[in-house]
Amino acid sequence: HVQLVESGGGSVQTGGSLRLSCAVSRHTASRACMGWFRQSPGKAREGIAAFRDGTAFYRDSVKGRFTVSLDAAANTFHLQMNSVKPEDTAMYYCALDFGPCTTGGAWWRSSASLYHFWGQGTQVTVS
């Protein structure tokens, strides 16, 4: 069983930066696709980024502003959020599933239904 523990959420002003972290209980980095999702009240949970083997995928709305990285020694994934906007306000979740993040082409694992393990979520508020 894999456990994910998130940290780093909070309040930030428009244009500012925030870094979210997701600590993974098992050394899975080499075998797993790590996803980042967010959900606002009344909206569906949307995939914003995924990462595996040094390759990252991003939703267009965060591309160029958000960066996913892995600290392999600490088995922790990070989501660096720069130039944040009020529309980035949401509950953010990390998720993990074994297997590739992509099977090729433009498709990547952005659907919540494709992940089995989830963090508890952390709130990000941009004002």
Side-chain angles (χ1 to χ4, degrees):
H1 183 68
V2 178
Q3 290 184 318
L4 309 176
V5 180
E6 297 182 50
S7 60
S11 297
V12 60
Q13 292 187 336
T14 299
S17 298
L18 205 62
R19 189 175 82 157
L20 307 184
S21 299
C22 179
V24 184
S25 62
R26 290 167 50 186
H27 285 275
T28 59
S30 63
R31 299 179 290 125
C33 176
M34 170 61 69
W36 285 97
F37 289 77
R38 66 186 181 188
Q39 188 169 20
S40 302
K43 294 187 178 180
R45 190 170 297 189
E46 65 174 10
I48 57 172
F51 180 91
R52 176 173 170 166
D53 296 334
T55 299
F57 306 87
Y58 299 98
R59 177 176 289 269
D60 285 347
S61 59
V62 305
K63 198 174 293 183
R65 300 187 298 121
F66 292 8
T67 303
V68 181
S69 62
L70 166 66
D71 179 347
N75 216 39
T76 299
F77 291 86
H78 301 287
L79 178 69
Q80 179 67 42
M81 305 168 59
N82 296 331
S83 302
V84 296
K85 305 174 182 179
E87 52 263 43
D88 294 323
T89 295
M91 184 70 79
Y92 283 71
Y93 300 89
C94 60
L96 180 150
D97 206 81
F98 297 104
C101 282
T102 183
T103 56
W107 182 87
W108 57 278
R109 197 187 289 241
S110 61
S111 172
S113 64
L114 298 177
Y115 292 82
H116 285 90
F117 304 103
W118 289 85
Q120 79 281 9
T122 186
Q123 178 68 36
V124 172
T125 302
V126 183
S127 59

